[in-house]
Amino acid sequence: MANLVDMEDQTGLCLKIMGVIFFLMTFGQVGQLVYCWLMTAALLWFMLTSVAGLDMDDTLVIMTTIAVLRSISYVGKRLVTIVATYPLALTFKYASQILPKYTIDETGFYNCDGASEEVANRRRASMKELSEKWAKKYPKCHEFSAELKKMISDLRFTSARCFPAFNSVVNKYLDPSMALDRTEGVDVVDFDGNSSMDISGSYGVNVCGYETYKDFIEEGWKKAKKQGLFLGSLDNT
């Protein structure tokens, strides 16, 4: 049978197109979908070559056309997803340095409200003094916070938004993080033994109170400690 399209020199191109389309449509989902596509392609090849009597070049043209048409909507959705996620994740670190943002560096930090040089110097000295006091008062909290921020991005984000335009300077001298060790009544005690009244709106102190929650935990532990963790069976805890 004569060729429907002159594809003597385009066989390799068609195979490459089909290979790329197959990769895009199955990337990250290798499983049943792969077998379905392979079986469909094999069945279509058999029908076109054995039943319809087309040669290899014409069969490749038809299968490539079908694959392209079938994949347009699917590949379009995948590309939109990739464009919306991966480039942002890869480029945000660099884009954040380029995008304009309202921030005040240390040069203009102490006199941003038009204060005199004398007042600015007093503020600068007070900031350093407070920073030294915090370093002495919260050494364990600061050490723990620094290590945790390396692993948990939420902590870095929270610290960065505490003092919007001033955060670069404030975070340099004052770490607002507090690592808690225990609770005592309505107070929380940090790693360094400093006790503070909890006025943050925490569920722990406001709903039932810390001491009541401790009673709940003790009562629950008495019932559950003999059982450990088992799944699938009924129990009375």
Side-chain angles (χ1 to χ4, degrees), residues 106-123:
E106 193 164 358
T107 304
F109 179 81
Y110 301 102
N111 59 356
C112 62
D113 58 348
S116 64
E117 188 65 24
E118 180 185 356
V119 173
N121 289 334
R122 289 207 305 265
R123 290 174 175 175

Side-chain angles (χ1 to χ4, degrees), residues 1 5 11 19 22 35 77-78 90 99-100 105 111 117 127 134 136 142 156 159 171-173 191 201 233:
M1 182 175 180
V5 180
T11 301
F22 182 80
Y35 296 114
K77 294 177 182 177
R78 293 297 296 269
L90 295 174
L99 295 175
D105 59 19
N111 59 356
E117 188 65 24
M127 175 67 83
W134 275 31
K136 294 178 180 178
H142 287 179
R156 298 193 296 272
S159 297
N171 282 320
K172 176 181 178 181
Y173 290 99
F191 282 10
S233 301

Side-chain angles (χ1 to χ4, degrees), residues 16-222:
K16 291 178 181 177
I17 293 175
M18 292 181 66
V20 171
I21 291 173
F22 182 80
F23 174 79
L24 290 174
M25 297 188 70
T26 59
F27 178 73
Q29 300 183 30
V30 176
Q32 293 183 353
L33 182 62
V34 176
Y35 296 114
C36 289
W37 275 96
L38 290 174
M39 292 176 64
T40 301
L43 179 61
L44 185 59
W45 181 274
F46 173 78
M47 294 293 292
L48 292 175
T49 55
S50 300
V51 178
L54 299 179
D55 61 18
M56 184 178 69
D57 291 338
D58 292 335
T59 300
L60 285 174
V61 172
I62 294 174
M63 292 182 66
T64 302
T65 303
I66 294 174
V68 170
L69 294 175
R70 175 63 181 85
S71 67
I72 289 176
S73 62
Y74 188 90
V75 173
K77 294 177 182 177
R78 293 297 296 269
L79 290 176
V80 169
T81 302
I82 292 173
V83 170
T85 54
Y86 294 105
L88 180 62
L90 295 174
T91 60
F92 181 76
K93 179 173 65 174
Y94 307 102
S96 64
Q97 305 299 322
I98 301 173
L99 295 175
K101 53 187 177 182
Y102 182 62
T103 183
I104 299 176
D105 59 19
E106 193 164 358
T107 304
F109 179 81
Y110 301 102
N111 59 356
C112 62
D113 58 348
S116 64
E117 188 65 24
E118 180 185 356
V119 173
N121 289 334
R122 289 207 305 265
R123 290 174 175 175
R124 184 179 291 105
S126 298
M127 175 67 83
K128 292 182 179 179
E129 182 182 356
L130 181 59
S131 177
E132 292 172 358
K133 289 181 178 179
W134 275 31
K136 294 178 180 178
K137 186 175 182 179
Y138 306 108
K140 295 180 181 178
C141 288
H142 287 179
E143 182 181 356
F144 180 78
S145 173
E147 289 299 319
L148 211 58
K149 285 177 181 177
K150 296 177 182 179
M151 300 180 287
I152 302 179
S153 60
D154 282 356
L155 290 178
R156 298 193 296 272
F157 173 76
T158 303
S159 297
R161 69 189 179 109
C162 284
F163 317 98
F166 307 97
N167 60 44
S168 62
V169 178
V170 173
N171 282 320
K172 176 181 178 181
Y173 290 99
L174 306 174
D175 186 343
S177 303
M178 176 182 286
L180 301 182
D181 178 62
R182 63 186 184 277
T183 60
E184 296 176 352
V186 296
D187 297 334
V188 292
V189 183
D190 63 30
F191 282 10
D192 295 290
N194 302 301
S195 179
S196 306
M197 182 180 292
D198 187 352
I199 58 172
S200 64
S202 167
Y203 292 123
V205 69
N206 281 332
V207 177
C208 296
Y210 285 124
E211 300 307 317
T212 303
Y213 274 114
K214 293 177 184 178
D215 293 337
F216 291 161
I217 294 172
E218 288 292 338
E219 183 179 353
W221 174 239
K222 289 178 182 178

